[in-house]
Amino acid sequence: MCYPARVLGRGLIIAIDGPTAAGKSTAGKALAARLGYTYIDSGAMYRTVGLAAIERGVSLDDSAALSTLAGEIEVRVGGDPHAPTISLDGRDVTTLIRTPVVDAASSKVSVVPGVRAAMVAQQQEMGRDGGVVMDGRDIGTHVFPNADLKVFLQADAPERARRRHAEHRERGADATLDATREAIEDRDRRDSSRATAPLRPADDAVIIDTTALSRDDLLGRLLELVHSRR
Ligand code: DC
């Protein structure tokens, strides 16, 4: 029997899901920092598998090879919400995974059930003891169906494209706003229509539209929700 964390008196398990650039990581980091919790960006793990596939020349259409790859590589997440990190076989790839090419690769590798199984097992292990904010696409539906709080963030596509475009420009990538929007819509379609753990809100998730919400207002709303669950 798996009891929710609050019954056991541990820190909560907080799941934040939603589509690309809905504000999950900004909100997740701020919330975890406020609560003194670990922050796990599960998307960074799929990005790291995507990067490994590109670097090793594994085809993004070869499910069997991608599953083998996901089982072979060591993906390690550093959960400090002030400075989250991720490494691939001991090499820090925190910055390397944030490019348009890896954006697309991560969405493709995450369709593969064998890749998901390997990542989900690690995510469950990392969040098992509670005191964690984990963001992704399937945290409330599959990774932690018993999470103490499930939030699903959404925002309209033009706003999400604007946010992601600004992030890419800050990092020196030169994709246009239109190309960024198309890429986001493409990933949304793939993430939502895949057979295994598609993107959708859990039945018991609190849905928040962040299109017109400031970071502070969103954090305030999340803290209210956390207090209501403790
Ligand atoms: O959150 P992100 O954009 O960094 O995620 C990268 C990709 O990984 C995204 O296209 C979908 C996939 N993903 C997933 O399938 N399941 C998760 N829990 C997190 C991300």
Side-chain angles (χ1 to χ4, degrees):
M1 175 86 184
C2 186
Y3 291 100
R6 62 176 175 278
V7 174
L8 301 174
R10 316 178 293 199
L12 306 183
I13 296 176
I14 301 174
I16 302 184
D17 289 302
T20 301
K24 303 183 299 294
S25 72
T26 306
K29 282 186 277 196
L31 183 62
R34 242 340 225 284
L35 299 171
Y37 281 12
T38 299
Y39 165 70
I40 310 282
D41 171 0
S42 67
M45 300 173 70
Y46 293 99
R47 286 171 177 274
T48 302
V49 179
L51 176 68
I54 293 168
E55 288 184 342
R56 296 184 185 195
V58 175
S59 163
L60 297 175
D61 299 317
D62 187 341
S63 302
L66 290 170
S67 301
T68 304
L69 176 71
E72 280 172 2
I73 59 178
E74 186 191 51
V75 177
R76 293 215 158 209
V77 179
D80 175 354
H82 299 286
T85 57
I86 190 142
S87 68
L88 168 59
D89 292 331
R91 175 173 53 114
D92 189 309
V93 293
T94 309
T95 313
L96 221 52
I97 57 167
R98 304 286 163 190
T99 64
V101 175
V102 178
D103 281 359
S106 62
S107 174
K108 290 187 180 162
V109 303
S110 67
V111 168
V112 178
V115 171
R116 301 202 70 79
M119 296 304 116
V120 168
Q122 276 196 52
Q123 290 154 10
Q124 289 173 332
E125 179 63 29
M126 288 186 287
R128 200 170 50 117
D129 295 331
V132 68
V133 177
M134 193 173 293
D135 85 43
R137 303 290 189 288
D138 62 336
I139 309 305
T141 49
H142 284 89
V143 181
F144 288 111
N146 288 331
D148 301 282
L149 172 62
K150 299 179 188 178
V151 179
F152 191 90
L153 299 184
Q154 57 192 24
D156 66 30
E159 173 61 14
R160 293 189 290 121
R162 197 193 57 72
R163 292 176 189 169
R164 186 49 50 95
H165 184 242
E167 277 170 29
H168 281 156
R169 286 185 65 134
E170 247 172 55
R171 297 195 180 94
D174 61 0
T176 63
L177 184 57
D178 279 351
T180 305
R181 182 168 172 180
E182 268 172 39
I184 281 187
E185 287 174 348
D186 209 37
R187 286 173 67 202
D188 284 353
R189 254 192 309 278
R190 203 177 300 116
D191 295 346
S192 309
S193 63
R194 67 179 176 227
T196 311
L199 169 67
R200 66 166 182 81
D203 293 339
D204 50 350
V206 179
I207 298 179
I208 302 176
D209 191 314
T210 70
T211 309
L213 216 52
S214 73
R215 289 178 182 196
D216 285 350
D217 287 346
L218 176 56
L219 178 60
R221 176 92 181 88
L222 294 174
L223 285 167
E224 274 171 26
L225 288 168
V226 168
H227 293 310
S228 73
R229 309 292 155 115
R230 285 212 278 214

